[in-house]
Amino acid sequence: MRIGEALLSQGLIKPDQLEIAVEQQHKSKERLGDIIIKMGFVAPEQMAPFIAGHFNLPFFNIKNIYKEIPPEVISCVPEDLARRFTVLPVSLSEDILTLAMFDPLDIVAEDAIRIKTGFRIKRMVAYEHDITGAIEYCYSQLPKLQEHVENFIGQDAPQHQGEVVDKLRLEASDPPVVKYVHQLVVQAFNNDSSDIHIQPKQDKVELRLRIDSILSDFPAPPKSMLPAITTRIKILSGLDIAERRLPQDGRFKMLIGNQEIDVRVSCFPTIYGESIVMRLLNTSSPLTGLDKIGFSPIDLEKYRKIIRRPYGIILVTGPTGSGKTTTLYTTLSEIHSPEKNTVTLEDPVEYRLEFIQQTQINPVIGFNFARGLRSILRQDPDIIMIGEIRDKETAEIAIHAALTGHLVFATLHTNDAAGAPVRLINMGVEPFLLSSSLVGVLAQRLVRCICPECKEEQVVTKKVLERLGINDDRMTLFHGKGCPKCMNRGYKGRSAIFETMMVNDDIRNLINARNSSEEIARKAITCGMQTLSDSGIEKMKAGITTIDEVLRVTREFQEL
């Protein structure tokens, strides 16, 4: 049975669609299957399993295993052939090379690879976009790191017989180690990763990158290479390479293309060796405006009204990694004026901003937030930003600064906006001082955005929609099915969701009466506050994120 007839018999296309495709084939001389996909009559995800069954070939879900394909198998097929014919070598058994192909009838591809390799070819069918993504990973990202690992292993052990520190320094200067650390940072940056985790285990090393808030496993170096890698990172960061019992923090800069990357390094001792975490900050990236970071029009109007106040304290709350610092930097860039003196106190300074004075605390010499804040008040500031309120002393100085005519911004670790005043009261701050100075609280989270390249409609039950407060049965929701552009995650990039609580007389009375965060939240909602969940649902309705992502960051509606 011909492929068009087979598609028709299985109900994948309609008779009129087949007629249109055949007519187009007479004109273009293309293969019928390609025309049917190009016209959108059959999705590539349907065509690949169909072709496998039609020609009695196995179908292979390559995205589940491509990271485990041995490098010696990948090297059987040159990169130019793999890209030209969209094929990937999967396994090699004696003289049989198994290829994952989207088009198993591509005789030209099969002959070219057979002649080049000298192996007999076994064909398997896979999704085209999965093969493309696997080719990018196997031929571009993995080999560079693997090459440096092999070069390190292939070298003779250093002959230096001096102190252990000298031996470590010598190993860390080996070209394969230097290149591995550099390429690791480059790969993380190219994958839009925020953090690199190198974690030693009993008999191996785990390498994970945090991409869009989620940690993902990547091929790790051998454990024998870990001491040299750790030493190299310590040298770059200006840390003590001889100290392996105590935690250390440092940083270094790296230029990738025309972008300057600031890498913050944390070394932490474990029973199996030192764990390394590197946070990547793109200091060359310009700040976007408040209207670009995820505010809804209503919340943006409220927040802009708050930050235009001449004095008072404004709190930004949320867990670590929720984008609080970015929001504050963006805020300062919006309200900056040559007529105002803006001073910050941070731990650490993450981005360098030319239009403000930035200071980094140093607890080792006794320069903490409280001491720094007292000194800042003698610098005649108009606007003050405090990286984090951690104790009663810092909180009280910040509140007194707000009461004496300064506009103070600070971060605080609470789950929602209503929890911020309760947290400060629990620290020991007097409620009447807090209620007189607090003008607003902004709570936020980061949600992953649906990848625009593989975005598709998502089927959601009526029950789920009702639980989320959506009564429209015709509501169209979306998710990402996964593609090479997003490394088959279905997500690409992040956006923020917000909860903006403006402090009015009703909320001030509740703060003075030491009411709970639940009571403050209820009053704020009746006064028009949109909760984090509401903000997330709005982004879900707009096709920006998914139900799963809203649930992940808000921890609500778990019964769904």
Side-chain angles (χ1 to χ4, degrees), residues 24-306:
Q24 179 63 29
Q25 185 186 34
H26 291 322
K27 297 178 182 177
S28 64
K29 306 302 180 183
E30 296 178 85
R31 289 175 299 188
L32 186 62
D34 292 339
I35 294 172
I36 289 173
I37 292 176
K38 189 181 297 182
M39 289 187 163
F41 297 153
V42 176
E45 292 75 15
Q46 293 175 297
M47 184 65 81
F50 164 78
I51 289 176
H54 183 67
F55 293 105
N56 198 27
L57 293 171
F59 175 75
F60 193 57
N61 192 349
I62 198 172
K63 71 178 181 180
N64 293 332
I65 61 91
Y66 70 89
K67 292 183 180 180
E68 301 172 6
I69 301 175
E72 58 269 20
V73 174
I74 296 296
S75 63
C76 289
V77 177
E79 181 179 357
D80 61 329
L81 291 182
R83 292 187 182 277
R84 186 195 314 170
F85 298 118
T86 316
V87 300
L88 186 76
V90 174
S91 64
L92 179 63
S93 178
E94 296 180 353
D95 65 338
I96 299 177
L97 179 65
T98 301
L99 293 179
M101 311 174 68
F102 174 68
D103 182 5
L105 299 183
D106 192 341
I107 304 301
V108 175
E110 184 177 342
D111 287 346
I113 295 173
R114 176 175 51 79
I115 293 171
K116 183 69 176 179
T117 63
F119 297 126
R120 291 187 293 160
I121 303 300
K122 178 181 177 182
R123 297 166 295 165
M124 303 180 78
V125 182
Y127 294 131
E128 184 176 19
H129 61 80
D130 285 353
I131 297 175
T132 304
I135 288 172
E136 183 63 30
Y137 175 83
C138 293
Y139 284 98
S140 294
Q141 299 179 15
L142 178 62
K144 293 178 182 177
L145 292 174
Q146 186 66 29
E147 178 185 353
H148 305 324
V149 171
E150 292 173 353
N151 289 340
F152 176 82
I153 295 173
Q155 288 187 343
D156 294 332
Q159 298 301 312
H160 188 75
Q161 299 298 322
E163 296 292 332
V164 174
V165 172
D166 294 333
K167 181 179 178 181
L168 285 172
R169 192 183 299 275
L170 185 60
E171 288 181 341
S173 64
D174 285 345
V177 176
V178 173
K179 292 178 181 178
Y180 182 90
V181 172
H182 180 271
Q183 188 61 39
L184 179 60
V185 176
V186 171
Q187 176 176 331
F189 175 74
N190 289 338
N191 284 327
D192 296 323
S193 173
S194 61
D195 299 88
I196 303 170
H197 291 245
I198 306 174
Q199 299 172 326
K201 302 299 179 183
Q202 184 172 4
D203 55 357
K204 65 177 183 178
V205 177
E206 286 186 354
L207 173 63
R208 298 189 291 174
L209 304 184
R210 188 178 295 280
I211 303 173
D212 293 338
S213 303
I214 304 298
L215 283 173
S216 301
D217 290 320
F218 280 75
K223 193 165 185 181
S224 60
M225 194 176 179
L226 183 60
I229 292 173
T230 301
T231 303
R232 174 61 185 170
I233 294 171
K234 284 183 172 182
I235 291 173
L236 289 172
S237 310
L239 303 180
D240 183 358
I241 65 173
E243 181 56 73
R244 288 173 287 176
R245 301 164 301 171
L246 295 174
Q248 296 187 74
D249 296 315
R251 65 197 309 160
F252 64 91
K253 293 183 182 297
M254 181 179 290
L255 194 64
I256 301 178
N258 60 353
Q259 311 241 26
E260 186 180 60
I261 307 302
D262 191 11
V263 184
R264 282 167 39 192
V265 177
S266 171
C267 300
F268 189 80
T270 73
I271 59 173
Y272 298 121
E274 288 183 279
S275 174
I276 304 289
V277 174
M278 293 185 282
R279 169 154 291 187
L280 277 57
L281 300 168
N282 186 355
T283 57
S284 302
S285 178
L287 289 173
T288 58
L290 287 175
D291 55 344
K292 298 291 195 302
I293 61 177
F295 276 105
S296 68
I298 295 176
D299 273 339
L300 181 58
E301 182 182 353
K302 289 181 181 178
Y303 187 64
R304 278 181 166 153
K305 183 177 180 180
I306 291 172

